Amino acid sequence: MPLSDLVNTFGQDLLRRHGRRVHKLAIHAGFSCPNRDGSKGRGGCSFCNNVSFSPNAKALPDVAEQIAAGRRVVRRRTRAEIYMAYFQAYTNTYGDVARLGALYRAALAEPDVVGISVGTRPDCVPDAVLDLLCELRDAGHEVWLELGLQSAFDATLARVNRGHGFEAYRRAVLAARGRGLAVCTHLIVGLPGEGQREARASLERVLALGTDGLKLHPLHVVRHTLLAKEWRAGGYQPLTMEQYIATACDLIEHTPADITYHRVTGTATRDILLAPDWCAKKWAVLNGIEAELRRRGSAQGMRVGERIAA
Ligand code: SF4
């Protein structure tokens, strides 16, 4: 039984709605991040790898070239026909609206690109950006706004130097969904000082405000980060794979079945991953989540409404 029989995955949702499998192509459009350049904060989030930061936009291939390269790679492995362009690297709404519009439109101008996903911080989505995304959606494209919340606890967000609190997320998600924009919320499991209970509480606060999609990610320690220093000094203990799988399954069970899971785990490449080692093994984690849900006789939505144990 595939995971998509137990979890409402974004891949299956796209397949149902577009009639063909939709493949994601990651775009690095040369954005920076306001949590690094001082406009919102300095130093960046403690878990954010900064080696490839300060990208020189001129050195990057343009959007159409990146899509062409991604398309070639995906087609070698699959019979891909249509794509979503995922503006993934750093803060993809951090720029003036004319520049953003040109980048997003360049992706959507490709005849086989059916939509865009735009990853960003909740404190970086002014009305003008939301209006631009609505304009693209109203032109018939699939448009997702991906908001990195990570935790609903302000103390945790401060501890990882996130540079925004839950209130920024509340404002952004209400403004976006108030316009009918689809929002995918990112949550990290295993943040410093957090356990299963905090992960559940973050999910509950996200669900109470409303969201259309979720992405779960285990916190991993990668090179050239503040978290790496903390971990080396013994100040941070990463999750075991079993702990992550148990928590991810809990979150999935407590998520209403109509919300799509864009991701239930995340990986880091071996060249930058320091810990935990299992974060390099995506399929082991996905298979583990599927096996655990089956062992529980459970699936997405099966425990919606259950309160967090006191
Ligand atoms: S994780 Fe995102 S918000 Fe945080 S510093 Fe890195 S790019 Fe900026």
Side-chain angles (χ1 to χ4, degrees):
M1 186 187 286
L3 185 63
S4 57
D5 285 352
L6 305 172
V7 178
N8 180 13
T9 63
F10 189 47
Q12 285 298 311
D13 176 54
L14 286 169
L15 176 61
R16 269 193 301 274
R17 290 187 292 107
H18 291 273
R20 287 175 284 176
R21 190 161 287 284
V22 183
H23 297 260
K24 266 195 171 182
L25 299 176
I27 306 291
H28 187 334
F31 287 104
S32 175
C33 175
N35 196 26
R36 290 190 172 275
D37 67 10
S39 86
K40 302 280 185 191
R42 286 208 182 275
C45 306
S46 67
F47 48 79
C48 182
N49 176 288
N50 59 17
V51 161
S52 55
F53 207 77
S54 300
N56 177 353
K58 288 198 187 88
L60 289 166
D62 70 23
V63 169
E65 287 168 337
Q66 291 188 43
I67 289 173
R71 187 193 281 128
R72 273 197 299 278
V73 171
V74 174
R75 278 206 187 138
R76 248 180 255 142
R77 293 187 277 111
T78 69
R79 291 188 194 146
E81 293 175 342
I82 53 175
Y83 305 90
M84 290 272 293
Y86 177 26
F87 288 83
Q88 180 175 27
Y90 304 111
T91 303
N92 293 276
T93 55
Y94 191 37
D96 72 67
V97 175
R99 177 182 173 224
L100 301 178
L103 290 166
Y104 305 157
R105 286 193 178 92
L108 292 167
E110 296 294 312
D112 51 4
V113 171
V114 296
I116 54 171
S117 279
V118 177
T120 192
R121 297 164 52 85
D123 58 357
C124 203
V125 279
D127 286 350
V129 170
L130 295 176
D131 291 343
L132 168 64
L133 294 174
C134 288
E135 196 184 311
L136 300 174
R137 177 211 51 201
D138 293 345
H141 305 293
E142 171 130 9
V143 175
W144 282 82
L145 178 66
E146 300 207 12
L147 293 176
L149 171 62
Q150 321 312 358
S151 167
F153 289 88
D154 285 347
T156 305
L157 295 174
R159 184 163 169 189
V160 298
N161 197 36
R162 186 76 193 155
H164 67 76
F166 186 74
E167 176 58 21
Y169 172 79
R170 191 189 69 79
R171 279 200 300 265
V173 76
L174 293 181
R177 296 189 84 242
R179 288 166 164 82
L181 265 180
V183 173
C184 174
T185 305
H186 295 203
L187 292 173
I188 294 181
V189 176
L191 286 162
E194 292 202 353
Q196 204 156 346
R197 191 181 164 76
E198 286 76 19
R200 271 285 311 283
S202 285
L203 178 74
E204 293 305 325
R205 292 190 74 184
V206 166
L207 295 177
L209 287 176
T211 193
D212 305 280
L214 286 164
K215 268 189 183 176
L216 303 182
H217 198 302
L219 184 62
H220 47 229
V221 185
V222 295
R223 292 184 198 283
H224 311 294
T225 60
L226 298 170
L227 185 66
K229 282 189 192 153
E230 205 178 326
W231 169 70
R232 283 197 183 97
Y236 174 67
Q237 180 66 39
L239 294 178
T240 65
M241 188 162 96
E242 291 69 30
Q243 286 170 324
Y244 180 73
I245 288 171
T247 304
C249 289
D250 275 5
L251 299 181
I252 290 166
E253 289 175 308
H254 287 91
T255 301
D258 61 334
I259 291 176
T260 48
Y261 265 99
H262 294 224
R263 189 163 70 193
V264 294
T265 189
T267 50
T269 52
R270 290 223 179 258
D271 55 328
I272 58 165
L273 180 65
L274 294 172
D277 196 42
W278 55 267
C279 276
K281 302 174 196 160
K282 176 174 146 192
W283 283 103
V285 182
L286 290 176
N287 292 339
I289 290 171
E290 184 197 333
E292 176 62 10
L293 286 172
R294 262 195 277 122
R295 188 192 67 76
R296 296 181 187 188
S298 192
Q300 182 176 338
M302 295 276 276
R303 292 171 68 193
V304 167
E306 267 182 30
R307 310 283 310 261
I308 301 171

